[in-house]
Amino acid sequence: MNTVIRAMTEDDRSSVIEMMKAFYASPAVLSNGSPEIFTKDVDSCIGDCPYLEGYVFGGRRDIQGYAMIAKSFSTEFGKPCIWIEDLYIKSDYRGLGIGSNFFKYIEEKYPDSIFRLEVDKDNERAINVYTKCGYEPLPYLEMKKI
């Protein structure tokens, strides 16, 4: 499938927030998010935040999904680190290669970077896509403090 990948814009806000609600309510994500967080995330994607970028898949009227990446630096690997934070494709468009195309796109945009993501261990479909794209599991326990 020939899907356009483009930067998220203000015109995409409501569609992206609706997809975020579906994504964060699914078993693929361990937290439920909130309207406030969704709004802040989209604000950062379409604003001038240097750490977060947002993308949508498809045309202006036919949005098939979205992704968000966060940028940092990995001292472990000595290079920039691109975190694929969100990757959501609407059910009607899954299995068409959109996710794989996004990985190729982002890897070409950020050469000589390490790419990381989180996936629920029971999300076999996503794990298969990520493995096919060259991603490997890391044996880390992630911790947080809010």
Side-chain angles (χ1 to χ4, degrees):
M1 173 171 227
N2 194 7
T3 295
V4 173
I5 299 170
R6 62 175 176 77
M8 192 181 295
T9 68
E10 180 62 42
D11 292 341
D12 303 317
R13 178 183 294 276
S14 61
S15 295
V16 170
I17 288 177
E18 285 305 309
M19 289 184 286
M20 291 178 80
K21 289 177 186 175
F23 182 51
Y24 279 82
S26 77
V29 182
L30 299 178
S31 65
N32 292 331
S34 71
E36 295 80 19
I37 291 172
F38 301 155
T39 297
K40 285 180 183 180
D41 289 349
V42 173
D43 287 346
S44 294
C45 286
I46 63 176
D48 59 0
C49 178
Y51 307 110
L52 191 65
E53 293 178 3
Y55 299 89
V56 292
F57 314 130
R60 294 265 175 221
R61 294 185 176 180
D62 183 27
I63 295 177
Q64 302 160 350
Y66 81 96
M68 293 181 186
I69 64 154
K71 298 181 272 186
S72 66
F73 190 88
S74 171
T75 58
E76 180 179 1
F77 295 97
K79 58 173 103 179
C81 181
I82 305 299
W83 278 92
I84 291 107
E85 290 288 342
D86 288 17
L87 177 57
Y88 176 81
I89 299 165
K90 292 179 179 177
S91 59
D92 290 348
Y93 300 100
R94 293 179 188 155
L96 301 176
I98 296 170
S100 298
N101 287 339
F102 176 71
F103 285 122
K104 182 179 178 193
Y105 172 88
I106 211 71
E107 290 165 12
E108 288 174 358
K109 184 174 181 177
Y110 292 102
D112 197 34
S113 297
I114 182 162
F115 299 89
R116 296 182 73 165
L117 54 81
E118 295 173 349
V119 61
D120 183 273
K121 65 183 181 332
D122 297 326
N123 192 345
E124 293 178 22
R125 185 176 190 151
I127 291 169
N128 288 335
V129 170
Y130 304 154
T131 301
K132 183 177 96 177
C133 291
Y135 288 73
E136 301 173 354
L138 289 171
Y140 293 113
L141 171 65
E142 185 172 337
M143 300 175 73
K144 70 177 180 179
K145 179 179 179 183
I146 297 179

